[in-house]
Amino acid sequence: MKKRSDFIAVNEPYLHGNEKKYLNQCIDDQWISSTGNFVRSFEDALCRLTNRKYAVTTSSGTTALAMALELLELPKESEVITSNFSIIACSNAIIQSGLVPVFIDPSLETFNIDAESIEKAITPKTSAILLPHIYGLPCDMDPILELCKKYNLKLIEDAAQMHGQMYKDRPCGSFGDISIFSFYANKLITTGEGGAILTNNEDYAQRANSLKDHMFSKERRFLHHGIGYNYRMTNLQAAVGLAQYEQIDHFVKEKRKLGTLYNERLIDLDNQGIIKLPIQKTAYAQNIYWAYTLVLDKYSGDNIDVINKLREFNIDARPSFYPLSAQPAYKQEGYYCDNQQKYPTSFKLSERCLYIPSGIGLSTQKVDYICDVIKKMCN
Ligand SMILES: *Cc1c(COP(=O)(O)O)cnc(C)c1O
C-alpha cells in the first residue's frame, strides 16, 4: 500500500534514534535470529524501565499473555477476571489456557476497571486478575493489590500501552506476579512485532525462557522434557527495541505534549458538553495519552460517522474496543453476554468513543488542522 503523504495516520512508529545503526550491526555481524547480544541488552533495559529482576522477550504481547497464564499454573476452568473493554488478545489468552474469562465494565472516565467492581465479581472459582491499563492512565493499583492479597489471587498486569508510565512512584510493568508488554508498531516502544514478560520470580523467568524456546534440555540438544513453543524475539527486533528504549523519556514527554495540545485546542467542545476529552490526571497518575480519545457526548452521530467524516479530510481515526463479552467469536460460550444493561459503559464506549492521530512525530500544524476539522464538524 502506497503511503499518501497528505494522509494523517492514526499512529506512526518514530524511528529516529539508533534503530538503523543497531540493525546494521546485526546485519554486519550476521546475528539475525534470536541468538544475539541485542536480545539480552534489550531485556536488561526492560528490567531497568520497570524495576524488575527478570524480563523475557517474546514474539508478541499476545504470546507473552499466553505464556504468563501457563506459567501461573492456575486451576483448570477457574475464573480470571478481566476488563470487558480491551483487545481480544486478553480474553483469548484466558480461554485458550482452559480458563474462564469474567468480564468487568470499565470506568467511563479512565477506561479502566477498578477494585470495587473486581471485588463484586470474585467467586470461590476466581484464581487471577488479568488487568490491562487502557489508553493512557494506569488502573488504581493499590486497592487491586490489596484484593489480590485478601483473596489470594494472581495478578497478570497487561502494560502493553504503558511503557514509561508511572502509578504513583512505581513504573507500570512492575505490579503483576507477571506483567507483560507488547512492542507492536503502535506501542510506545516498538519492535514491529514483539512482546515481553516481566517478573521478579526466578522460576517464572527460567520457565518462560525454556517454554518460549521449545524447552530444549541442557543435557542433550534435541531432547525435550516438556512441550514448548517458538515465541522467540529476533536480534533484529531487539536491536530496534533497544534503540526505542533509549528514547522512552522523550517519547513520554512528546505524548504528554501532544495530549496537552489537543486538550487546549478542543477544550471548548468539552465545556459545551459536545465531546468529552480524556482526563489529564488522576490522584495517582498523569495521562500518557497512548491513544488520544474522544467520547461523543451531545454530538448526534456515532463514532463510525465521525471516523468516516474525518477520513474525507484525510484524517485517520479508530473506533474504541467492542465489548469482549459480546464478541461474535464467543457466541456459543457460557460467558457470552450481549446484555447492554450488564455492561453499559463498554457498550456506550463501543459506539461513542474513538481515537484520533496520536503518533509521536505529529506536528503542531497537523494537530491544528485536525482540531479545526473536528470543531467544524461539531458546529
Ligand atoms: C497491543 C495490545 C496487546 C497485544 O499485543 P500484540 O503484540 O499485538 O500481540 C495486548 N494487550 C493490550 C492492552 C494491547 O494494547
Side-chain angles (χ1 to χ4, degrees), residues 108-109 111 259 262-280 287 289 292-299 371 374-375 378-379:
L108 193 55
E109 275 71 45
F111 308 116
Y262 271 131
N263 289 340
E264 284 168 13
R265 301 287 193 274
L266 298 173
I267 189 67
D268 285 349
L269 299 177
D270 191 302
N271 289 337
Q272 293 160 17
I274 300 170
I275 286 175
K276 245 174 57 138
L277 305 181
I279 55 177
Q280 297 173 41
N287 206 327
Y289 305 103
Y292 191 90
T293 52
L294 304 177
V295 178
L296 306 174
D297 211 348
K298 278 192 231 149
Y299 186 89
C371 293
I374 291 171
K375 282 189 247 178
C378 290
N379 291 326

Side-chain angles (χ1 to χ4, degrees), residues 10-166:
V10 78
N11 206 308
E12 283 178 46
Y14 190 86
L15 305 163
H16 302 295
N18 284 322
E19 289 86 353
K20 256 189 200 167
K21 182 179 151 195
Y22 293 167
L23 277 174
N24 277 330
Q25 241 166 281
C26 296
I27 291 164
D28 291 342
D29 301 345
Q30 299 194 319
W31 286 111
I32 60 169
S33 76
S34 60
T35 314
N37 290 336
F38 282 114
V39 175
R40 175 53 62 83
S41 308
F42 184 41
E43 288 173 344
D44 289 346
L46 294 173
C47 288
R48 290 196 293 279
L49 182 67
T50 55
N51 283 340
R52 286 293 208 173
K53 283 197 190 143
Y54 307 100
V56 180
T57 50
T58 60
S59 52
S60 71
T62 301
T63 52
L65 281 172
M67 272 214 302
L69 283 157
E70 185 165 341
L71 291 166
L72 292 174
E73 298 183 303
L74 304 168
K76 277 264 163 303
E77 285 168 50
S78 63
E79 295 172 353
V80 179
I81 295 173
T82 194
S83 176
N84 203 24
F85 190 70
S86 184
I87 188 161
I88 200 165
C90 294
S91 44
N92 279 354
I94 295 169
I95 294 159
Q96 288 163 340
S97 307
L99 304 161
V100 179
V102 173
F103 298 110
I104 301 288
D105 219 20
S107 143
L108 193 55
E109 275 71 45
T110 64
F111 308 116
N112 287 323
I113 57 174
D114 59 28
E116 202 185 324
S117 44
I118 292 172
E119 188 162 24
K120 282 187 201 144
I122 294 174
T123 74
K125 283 191 187 162
T126 310
S127 61
I129 305 170
L130 196 169
L131 191 70
H133 309 290
I134 299 296
Y135 289 154
L137 286 165
C139 301
D140 189 0
M141 294 309 304
D142 282 337
I144 295 175
L145 292 170
E146 265 171 49
L147 277 188
C148 290
K149 248 195 228 144
K150 183 170 164 194
Y151 293 94
N152 193 24
L153 304 176
K154 294 285 189 228
L155 179 66
I156 300 142
E157 179 197 12
D158 181 346
Q161 307 181 354
M162 295 292 136
H163 313 108
Q165 174 62 301
M166 306 288 281

